[in-house]
Amino acid sequence: MNFFGSNPFSLHSSSTFLAEDILIKKILLTHDPDGRRLDSELLLCATENVMSYTATSEVSSFHIDAIAEKDISKIEVIGAEESLGQIIHKILNEMLFKNAGEGDLHARTMILFDLLGKYRWDAKLALILAAFATSYGEFWLIMQLYPHNPLAVSVAMLKQLPNDLSMLKPRLKALSKLVKTMVAVTKCIIKFEGLPLRYVKLDDEAMAIAKSHIYIAAYWITRSTLACSSQITDLIAMKPEQVSSNQTALAVWQLSSLVYRLSSLYSHLNRQVDFCHQQIETRLHQKLLNIFQEAHADNQEVLGVLLALKDDLPLKNSYTQEKLGVSELKDKVVVLLASEPELLPLEGLFLLVHQTYNHLSHKNLDESYEIVWVPISFSDKWTEAEAERFNLLSNSLPWYSLRRPWLLNSAVVNYIKQVWNFKCDPLMVVLDSQGMVTNSNAIDMILIWGAKAYPFSSSREKQLWKEENWTLKLLVDEIDPLLTRWVEEGRNICIYGSENQDWIREFNDKMKESRSVGVQIEMVYVGSRHRSEHSMRRSIFRLGQSIISDHIQEEVSSLLDSTDEGWAVIGRGSTTDIVKLQGRKATECLNKFSEWGGNVMKLGFFGALRSVLEAPPIPGPCNHSILFLTLKD
């Protein structure tokens, strides 16, 4: 493969391999990356959009990827003083500087490598193709609008563009095919550069072969963009009599030669990258199985393996939209919130945000923990609706989230589903500051106790249950500041719910009657069920019933097993005096208010209610069942 020209269809020989070896050494002398980076995949997507538009005369018939379209405008170069636009402009100026001669293409190719020496291979090629796309796209924009747009006609006349493109079809077809091939090879290189090689190693031989292919492919992609730019310049300057001349045939042959060369490189590179990808997937899966069994100085390697797989800045801050690396989470307890893109119904989402962020205990922790939302789709591919829902929520929630969760490595997704048993319900896996799993699912304890449950470990969950009593405070636990204040003030509070609207209306009417005669009681409607009670049941079941007191187990089960007729829990302040009234039995008790209401002034509402419930049963069969508890500390 003589890189200065000759016959591209000739077979490899020892001299060819020697020439490639010399070329690689020269290329590597220009390669000195300093950490500056950009999202090469997104930039290539933007470039490919331009190429796709040029492939059709009907611009409206092409639909770009909706997910990528929303992010393309956010592409930035990190670690460089120049903006993306300035870098692309500088490359384009070098491309448009044309001197005759085949050997000159090699020299100009090496100049571009020198210009982009501080970038990684994927970034070099994405930038070079983006620069070429601006020139290529401008040419085609004029040609597609001509002769229907007066401005396009005027520009075409000034540029002396040919009026009839039909004679140029072979040349334009070859040009389009070369562009598509360059994009395909670049995608291959981006895929390789996106492998988590920082955390999972390839075999030395596999790495060496892949790198060798990448160096040669990068050279011929760069050189091909220069050749294409020259072809566009020739088209603009072409005289009518030259359209059907031997010059056109030679141009088509040169472009086809480059297509053949790059197609051959793509075939070898694609096979090697696929091999490397499979090797990485296998080793990453094993790495995930082992990494949580090993001791670590901090959580960086664990989080890197889990999150920073295709991007060194995988996170975003919902408030600032800043791109962040896993270093932001160093020395912190990290709660990984795995869920579908929908996350939770609105009511549950508000509760979770309150318990983790607005909870009173959160202010005292001085950012000792962070929540990272890791949305996972159960579709074969993320849908546009899922992406829109994710973008809406991730820009509103007070947590970190993955910037582009659809790029999460499949080995990680499978690990979360299979090993962490993520199905549909949200899952909150807690990692301590060393990256060890301390709770396989803390969502229930967080919904019950909020930030008070820090550091959210299983041992902390057991401790909280051992210290807990069945009180109104346990049921409300600072979910609402006003409700918490009522508890602290020792007020009578009635928490009630039902799916039966008739029962709700009847129960409310009866309570209004009692309040109309001076009864002091606060009413709190919580729907058909109270979410924290469901969390209590799951937490109890997961920890084992021996951990939690029999009283609490019985009351949680009794409350959740309430019929759809309705239920009410009445208590006073933070004491352990709680009455649970169920269904029509609650309204029956209130119907007899005239019989026991007279004691309210002397005993208070709760005391008067307790006196009637503690009264000796009337002889004969019992026709109701009301549970009354006075639990002791």
Side-chain angles (χ1 to χ4, degrees):
M1 186 183 292
N2 187 328
F3 52 85
F4 287 112
S6 84
N7 184 1
F9 303 100
S10 61
L11 296 176
H12 273 58
S13 63
S14 58
S15 60
T16 300
F17 286 115
L18 178 60
E20 284 188 356
D21 187 55
I22 294 172
L23 176 60
I24 288 173
K25 289 178 179 178
K26 289 182 177 180
I27 292 172
L28 290 178
L29 287 175
T30 70
H31 186 59
D32 184 26
D34 62 356
R36 59 183 79 182
R37 55 188 179 272
L38 56 83
D39 195 324
S40 56
E41 191 167 13
L42 264 185
L43 183 56
L44 183 65
C45 179
T47 300
E48 194 173 10
N49 288 340
V50 174
M51 307 306 189
S52 298
Y53 276 119
T54 63
T56 174
S57 59
E58 297 292 333
V59 174
S60 60
S61 68
F62 178 70
H63 177 68
I64 68 175
D65 188 291
I67 295 176
E69 182 183 17
K70 291 180 174 60
D71 289 336
I72 284 171
S73 61
K74 302 174 185 176
I75 299 173
E76 59 180 322
V77 182
I78 299 172
E81 296 180 358
E82 299 169 305
S83 68
L84 178 62
Q86 290 172 322
I87 297 168
I88 289 175
H89 181 70
K90 186 179 291 187
I91 297 170
L92 183 59
N93 282 343
E94 194 59 50
M95 280 184 175
L96 296 178
F97 178 76
K98 181 177 181 296
N99 290 316
E102 177 70 13
D104 185 62
L105 281 178
H106 169 72
R108 291 166 58 206
T109 299
M110 299 309 295
I111 289 174
L112 285 178
F113 277 133
D114 281 327
L115 182 65
L116 298 173
K118 300 299 182 181
Y119 293 89
R120 298 187 343 170
W121 294 105
D122 56 326
K124 289 184 210 288
L125 296 178
L127 287 167
I128 288 170
L129 286 176
F132 168 71
T134 60
S135 173
Y136 187 63
E138 180 187 6
F139 168 75
W140 271 107
L141 182 62
I142 296 172
M143 300 308 296
Q144 288 180 0
L145 292 176
Y146 180 87
H148 308 292
N149 184 287
L151 178 60
V153 171
S154 298
V155 174
M157 290 176 62
L158 290 174
K159 286 180 172 285
Q160 294 291 294
L161 295 177
N163 295 326
D164 184 9
L165 292 180
S166 59
M167 298 299 293
L168 296 176
K169 280 186 177 180
R171 192 168 184 173
L172 294 175
K173 184 177 180 180
L175 187 62
S176 176
K177 191 170 183 180
L178 177 55
V179 167
K180 290 180 180 178
T181 308
M182 288 191 294
V183 170
V185 180
T186 302
K187 284 183 178 180
C188 236
I189 294 173
I190 289 175
K191 182 178 179 180
F192 179 84
E193 292 290 323
L195 294 176
L197 299 177
R198 178 179 173 185
Y199 301 102
V200 186
K201 302 301 181 184
L202 283 170
D203 291 341
D204 291 342
E205 183 180 3
M207 174 71 86
I209 294 173
K211 285 290 189 181
S212 177
H213 288 324
I214 286 173
Y215 303 147
I216 297 298
Y219 173 84
W220 283 105
I221 290 171
T222 304
R223 180 164 170 159
S224 295
T225 60
L226 293 172
C228 289
S229 295
S230 297
Q231 291 277 358
I232 293 173
T233 303
D234 288 344
L235 287 174
I236 293 174
M238 185 177 293
K239 297 178 181 179
E241 62 270 16
Q242 293 177 313
V243 171
S244 58
S245 69
N246 292 335
Q247 183 177 343
T248 297
L250 178 61
V252 171
W253 184 87
Q254 289 175 335
L255 292 173
S256 299
S257 298
L258 289 170
V259 170
Y260 175 86
R261 189 185 293 273
L262 279 174
S263 296
S264 177
L265 285 169
Y266 173 77
S267 178
H268 294 296
L269 178 60
N270 191 47
R271 281 198 301 269
Q272 188 62 24
V273 171
D274 281 345
F275 173 77
C276 293
H277 183 267
Q278 292 168 7
Q279 190 177 103
I280 286 290
E281 288 286 297
T282 301
R283 294 185 177 184
L284 178 58
H285 176 73
Q286 191 60 48
K287 178 91 172 179
L288 287 167
L289 292 177
N290 296 335
I291 198 167
F292 294 105
Q293 311 302 321
E294 304 166 351
H296 305 280
D298 53 42
N299 59 11
Q300 293 300 282
E301 183 179 9
V302 171
L303 293 173
V305 171
L306 284 170
L307 304 178
L309 294 170
K310 290 188 177 181
D311 195 334
D312 291 335
L313 299 172
L315 307 176
K316 74 172 180 179
N317 183 311
S318 60
Y319 289 144
T320 65
Q321 297 300 298
E322 183 182 3
K323 299 175 183 178
L324 302 169
V326 296
S327 59
E328 294 291 322
L329 305 174
K330 190 175 182 180
D331 299 327
K332 294 184 179 182
V333 170
V334 177
V335 182
L336 298 175
L337 171 57
S339 78
E340 294 187 274
E342 291 290 329
L343 191 49
L344 280 170
L346 198 58
E347 177 188 350
L349 188 57
F350 283 156
L351 175 60
L352 188 58
V353 170
H354 178 275
Q355 293 294 75
T356 56
Y357 191 75
N358 296 329
H359 197 281
L360 294 177
S361 299
H362 178 264
K363 299 176 182 178
N364 302 324
L365 293 173
D366 192 28
E367 299 182 348
S368 299
Y369 73 91
E370 297 289 354
I371 294 177
V372 178
W373 183 26
V374 184
I376 294 175
S377 173
F378 282 87
S379 308
D380 291 336
K381 184 180 179 181
W382 273 66
T383 65
E384 183 176 344
E386 287 176 329
E388 288 179 353
R389 181 63 175 168
F390 161 74
N391 286 325
L392 174 64
L393 286 177
S394 63
N395 292 337
S396 307
L397 297 172
W399 311 315
Y400 289 137
S401 66
L402 290 183
R403 282 198 300 115
R404 291 187 291 158
W406 42 85
L407 297 182
L408 194 61
N409 192 281
S410 59
V412 175
V413 172
N414 291 333
Y415 182 86
I416 293 174
K417 289 179 178 179
Q418 297 167 11
V419 179
W420 285 350
N421 200 31
F422 169 62
K423 301 194 183 302
C424 295
D425 294 331
L427 182 77
M428 300 184 83
V429 178
V430 182
L431 308 180
D432 65 15
S433 57
Q434 282 75 48
M436 300 303 292
V437 176
T438 58
N439 197 330
S440 59
N441 191 2
I443 192 166
D444 293 320
M445 73 180 300
I446 288 175
L447 288 174
I448 298 168
W449 290 288
K452 177 184 174 182
Y454 176 83
F456 314 115
S457 60
S458 296
S459 59
R460 175 60 174 159
E461 190 172 11
K462 294 176 182 178
Q463 179 188 4
L464 287 168
W465 274 122
K466 287 179 179 179
E467 297 172 352
E468 198 57 77
N469 288 310
W470 183 248
T471 64
L472 280 180
K473 191 173 188 305
L474 173 62
L475 291 177
V476 304
D477 194 51
E478 301 176 353
I479 289 175
D480 181 89
L482 181 60
L483 193 54
T484 300
R485 182 159 58 84
W486 288 346
V487 171
E488 293 173 348
E489 292 175 353
R491 298 193 189 190
N492 295 317
I493 300 173
C494 175
I495 301 174
Y496 67 106
S498 176
E499 293 179 353
N500 187 326
Q501 295 299 315
D502 292 334
W503 182 89
I504 291 172
R505 281 192 291 269
E506 183 180 5
F507 183 76
N508 275 326
D509 290 342
K510 297 300 179 182
M511 291 299 292
K512 285 179 182 178
E513 290 179 13
S514 63
R515 296 176 73 179
S516 67
V517 296
V519 170
Q520 299 295 317
I521 187 167
E522 309 295 345
M523 304 290 292
V524 181
Y525 175 67
V526 295
S528 60
R529 292 288 186 271
H530 196 277
R531 182 173 293 274
S532 64
E533 277 81 68
H534 288 284
S535 294
M536 289 179 193
R537 171 176 277 181
R538 288 193 299 263
S539 178
I540 291 171
F541 178 79
R542 185 173 58 253
L543 292 178
Q545 296 182 352
S546 61
I547 300 296
I548 296 92
S549 72
D550 293 338
H551 287 301
I552 293 179
Q553 291 182 51
E554 291 169 3
E555 290 315 306
V556 170
S557 296
S558 177
L559 190 59
L560 286 171
D561 292 339
S562 299
T563 66
D564 291 337
E565 290 182 359
W567 55 271
V569 174
I570 300 174
R572 182 177 59 209
S574 58
T575 68
T576 55
D577 291 342
I578 296 180
V579 172
K580 191 187 69 148
L581 304 171
Q582 191 162 321
R584 62 186 181 85
K585 309 305 181 184
T587 53
E588 288 178 3
C589 182
L590 293 177
N591 282 336
K592 298 178 181 180
F593 180 73
S594 59
E595 301 176 11
W596 55 271
N599 294 327
V600 170
M601 294 299 294
K602 181 173 65 173
L603 302 176
F605 179 80
F606 192 86
L609 179 61
R610 180 169 57 187
S611 66
V612 72
L613 292 174
E614 289 179 333
I618 300 174
C622 179
N623 61 357
H624 65 276
S625 174
I626 299 177
L627 177 65
F628 170 70
L629 295 176
T630 304
L631 302 179
K632 304 301 181 183
D633 291 335

